[in-house]
Amino acid sequence: MVRKPWAFTLVVMVVVLATTSTQEASAYSPEHPDVVRMIDRGIAFLRSQEKEHGHHEEGAKMLKAYAIYKVNHEPDDPLVREGVAAAVAYIEKQTKAKSVDHYMSYAGAFAMLLLIDVDPIKHRSAIERMSRYYLGLQKPHGGFGYPNGPEGDNSQNQYAVLSMWSLRKAGFEVPPEIMERLAIYLLQTQDPSGMWGYFGIIGNRGLVKQERTRLSLTSACAGSLLIAGDFFDFYKDRARRKQKIDNDSGLPPALAIHDEKSEQSAAAVKTSQLKPPMIETAVGRSMNFYNKTAFKFSNFPNSLGFYYYALYAHERFMSFVENSRGEYENEPAWYNQGVEDLKRHQDPDGGFGGAAARKAGMSPHLSPSENTAFAVLFLIRSTKKAIGQLSTGTMQGGYGLPKSTKGMQTKGGQLIDAPKAGSVGGMLDLLEQGGDDVDDKAIYDSLILSKDPQERADQLKRLKRMVKGGPYKTRRAAARMLGQSSDMDIVPTLIFALTDPDKTVQREARNGLRFVSRRFEGFGLPDDPTPKQVDAAVKAWKEWYLLSNPSYLFLDEG
């Protein structure tokens, strides 16, 4: 094989960068023990702050619930339920009010984001009402802002863009011209330095100097442009090339990236005035700026009041940079820097934006609960996870949901008719209740996964849940059935099952991973492994899976 010069240069660059990063800071990912402890302490702090809601009570409840749900994905969590109730009530109140809430661009966005994440089917009507109301507030120049002024506010524009992207990915209809006008506004209001300010100033010819430019707004706006590019499918070919590279390495073909776009979406891409080079040029200016001034705490002014809010904007920006390039890094330098900064500023009670922040010179404008929620969203790499979920089929329905969802359920991200009761469903019911009255032979004879894709997806979802809890017989049967499915998305659940305290469950998970991966020797886990051998196998399987799905995060397994 002839080694190409540019390939050798790239390898050298990667080695140099990796060495430099190691020297400057530890290598972190959301599953690093230190990061997991920070997240756990942050969530515990949020749970302790029942009466502390910040300057906008409803919005703070929604933000808190959003961060907690992103960590545990438990819709029945009391604080998640409280946030969902606040979101529904806020939508009901605001869509009927005679005046617009001063903080609508923030609270309205988080109301939609939370309901989309928790249950877009149940809350479809509320989401659609808020979407129509919210998007109708776009100003003539294309930006969004406070209701009592004509200016576009770039702090608020980022949430308008994020809302539209999330709505579209979840199957709701979003007029593409609204996203296009907002993206063009952002392009017109960039400072020549590559930064952005609060209130955009549109020049007559080209870019003009902006006022009150900030690191936080630069990340927010550059990230918003990349989100708009993803909205218009500018980067899907790069994702396909990435997929081809992965499959050429011998990974199973089941990893095909779902790419089902509606005719309406395709037409919007063709007719849009927004083009990839426009976004790449603007984002390139910002990247050049960050090459000179790194996004880290020491480069922020001491009086900064929105540092944690800014961190979440930067995570969003860098995650969409990865998405636009089709290249992913598990322990990027910018994330390592953010984790190091946050480690120094977390209070003993687990919160952020309190005594430790003030001691470091900050004057936080948001409440400790709000600051902690934003810090948690950064630490778990919330945007990277959302890109992976929403771009690979979590919600696959295309534009628009059915006119009526009565009697329907969600399976594999699609609305379908409620399944008919049958032997498989009945056996799953018994297993979910413990399975004590069912012998093993009956279990394995009855649990034959459906050939219908939607019904099969529902069965797999139930089996995944069983692996993570319940009696050993239930966990063992679920692990065996998952291992027979050959579906790649069950791999993280089986990796988690390797850590089960019951050896038979461990063996079923190991055998399932070998079958799904076609690596029939696996990674050497014996029938009666030691804890060190389990840890080594878990690490090896995670590394293998991340080769095929680099944007996946293992934080929630278990």
Side-chain angles (χ1 to χ4, degrees), residues 9-25:
T9 302
L10 180 60
V11 171
V12 173
M13 289 176 62
V14 170
V15 172
V16 171
L17 288 173
T19 304
T20 303
S21 176
T22 303
Q23 292 173 345
E24 291 180 352

Side-chain angles (χ1 to χ4, degrees), residues 34-273:
D34 289 355
V35 177
V36 171
R37 282 192 290 270
M38 293 169 70
I39 294 168
D40 288 345
R41 293 175 60 212
I43 294 298
F45 175 80
L46 291 177
R47 295 191 187 285
S48 72
Q49 301 297 297
E50 294 182 7
K51 298 181 180 180
E52 189 269 294
H53 297 301
H55 63 282
H56 190 281
E57 181 174 345
E58 295 155 306
K61 286 182 180 179
M62 290 183 263
L63 173 60
K64 184 188 297 187
Y66 187 68
I68 292 172
Y69 187 77
K70 285 289 188 181
V71 172
N72 66 18
H73 290 280
E74 293 291 343
D76 291 328
D77 184 292
L79 289 182
V80 173
R81 288 203 306 266
E82 182 180 356
V84 167
V88 172
Y90 182 80
I91 291 172
E92 182 70 18
K93 179 175 71 174
Q94 294 304 316
T95 54
K96 294 180 178 179
K98 294 182 179 179
S99 60
V100 181
D101 176 25
H102 186 67
Y103 294 105
M104 167 58 66
S105 292
Y106 301 108
F110 273 107
M112 291 186 286
L113 292 172
L114 177 61
L115 297 183
I116 287 170
D117 256 28
V118 174
D119 195 333
I121 307 309
K122 178 179 179 181
H123 301 296
R124 172 196 170 204
S125 177
I127 294 169
E128 288 183 332
R129 287 202 312 276
M130 177 51 80
S131 174
R132 288 192 296 268
Y133 182 81
Y134 188 102
L135 298 180
L137 298 175
Q138 188 175 36
K139 297 183 183 295
H141 47 59
F144 287 75
Y146 290 112
N148 58 351
E151 301 91 355
D153 185 313
N154 283 326
S155 179
Q156 299 178 41
N157 285 328
Q158 63 181 314
Y159 287 103
V161 170
L162 183 60
S163 296
M164 285 188 275
W165 180 83
S166 300
L167 284 163
R168 180 181 179 275
K169 292 295 183 179
F172 292 89
E173 187 170 356
V174 177
E177 61 271 16
I178 297 180
M179 178 68 91
E180 177 187 71
R181 290 176 58 220
L182 178 47
I184 290 174
Y185 171 84
L186 292 173
L187 290 169
Q188 293 174 328
T189 57
Q190 186 180 27
D191 189 86
S193 68
M195 299 186 75
W196 270 270
Y198 272 103
F199 300 129
I201 302 171
I202 301 176
N204 293 327
R205 295 183 180 179
L207 301 181
V208 298
K209 184 174 178 58
Q210 302 292 313
E211 297 176 355
R212 299 172 66 193
T213 55
R214 298 286 188 272
L215 293 176
S216 58
L217 298 172
T218 300
S219 293
C221 294
S224 293
L225 285 173
L226 290 170
I227 294 173
D230 192 73
F231 180 95
F232 285 107
D233 300 329
F234 289 163
Y235 314 121
K236 62 181 180 181
D237 290 337
R238 298 175 191 180
R240 286 181 181 140
R241 286 200 296 272
K242 173 67 178 173
Q243 176 198 358
K244 185 177 187 301
I245 292 171
D246 287 341
N247 286 343
D248 285 348
S249 66
L251 295 170
L255 292 169
I257 297 173
H258 182 81
D259 184 27
E260 181 181 340
K261 302 297 182 183
S262 67
E263 293 181 4
Q264 180 178 355
S265 174
V269 174
K270 291 180 181 179
T271 59
S272 173
Q273 298 178 40

